[in-house]
Amino acid sequence: MTITLCEITRDNWKECARMRVEPDQVRFVASNPFSLAQSKYEPECVPLAVYDDEQMVGFVMYRTEDYGLAKVWFIDRVMIGEGHQKKGYGRAAMTLLLERLRSQKGYNAILISFVPENSVAQKLYSSLGFKDTGEIEDGELVYRIGLTG
Ligand SMILES: CC(C)(COP(=O)(O)OP(=O)(O)OC[C@H]1O[C@@H](n2cnc3c(N)ncnc32)[C@H](O)[C@@H]1OP(=O)(O)O)[C@@H](O)C(=O)NCCC(=O)NCCS
């Protein structure tokens, strides 16, 4: 398994747009076409495809939010496509994404949110070091990793 996070381009955006989660997970994450459209009109969003070698297996999207002195990362989307889940891709993609965000200086935290029923996401994020902030935003629990700057 060689996992990479790759830019969305003219060549791969359609494949990304076609990728879906399992039917019972649709309520957990916005669709990829929605996220790709969002990234076009909200250019602070960075959409990335998750690849295992040449095979696209998932999608993530993050953005930075600037609260004056406190700049934070917000991971907006994490999905692994139907048929590709439970093979370690979600954990590997999140690990890579966290490395990428941690490597940039000047940020106070990495934030992520999920609906309370999403126990798979909750366990995965907790095991990666995210802590519950106690905040709820748009019905989603907000978790956080503090950064030292
Ligand atoms: C959450 C998600 C990204 C995880 O991706 P994945 O590739 O299946 O995850 P991994 O294979 O790396 O597994 C990570 C852990 O979750 C567990 N897990 C994954 N799917 C599971 C399931 N359906 N039921 C129970 N446990 C599950 C794995 O056993 C593993 O646990 P471990 O590391 O303690 O052994 C994927 O389930 C998904 O795309 N879900 C729909 C979209 C979503 O919920 N996104 C998050 C919104 S914030």
Side-chain angles (χ1 to χ4, degrees):
M1 175 161 89
T2 310
I3 301 297
T4 47
L5 300 178
C6 299
E7 217 183 311
I8 304 292
T9 65
R10 177 182 285 274
D11 295 323
N12 67 5
W13 76 267
K14 287 181 188 161
E15 184 180 1
C16 181
R18 280 192 290 261
M19 199 169 35
R20 303 153 186 264
V21 293
E22 303 287 344
D24 64 338
Q25 298 170 334
V26 168
R27 66 205 162 106
F28 292 154
V29 68
S31 72
N32 286 0
F34 182 93
S35 297
L36 292 173
Q38 185 180 359
S39 71
K40 183 166 169 62
Y41 296 105
E42 298 179 19
E44 67 277 19
C45 295
V46 181
L48 296 168
V50 180
Y51 280 86
D52 180 6
D53 289 322
E54 302 293 309
Q55 168 80 55
M56 190 186 293
V57 297
F59 174 78
V60 297
M61 189 164 87
Y62 68 90
R63 71 189 139 92
T64 173
E65 274 188 12
D66 200 338
Y67 299 104
L69 287 179
K71 277 204 296 179
V72 301
W73 297 111
F74 202 100
I75 300 176
D76 278 313
R77 303 286 137 67
V78 180
M79 64 82 77
I80 298 297
E82 58 181 346
H84 297 299
Q85 296 184 7
K86 296 199 227 172
K87 297 177 181 174
Y89 291 140
R91 179 178 292 283
M94 280 298 294
T95 302
L96 272 186
L97 181 54
L98 294 180
E99 272 171 23
R100 170 189 285 241
L101 300 183
R102 282 190 165 112
S103 73
Q104 301 190 50
K105 298 280 169 224
Y107 290 84
N108 289 12
I110 305 172
L111 298 168
I112 198 161
S113 69
F114 51 89
V115 298
E117 300 77 42
N118 196 346
S119 57
V120 172
Q122 182 166 30
K123 271 192 213 148
L124 174 61
Y125 301 155
S126 297
S127 76
L128 290 165
F130 282 94
K131 306 279 183 232
D132 190 355
T133 62
E135 286 165 36
I136 297 179
E137 212 174 279
D138 296 333
E140 300 201 346
L141 310 182
V142 181
Y143 274 40
R144 176 181 188 279
I145 289 179
L147 302 176
T148 49

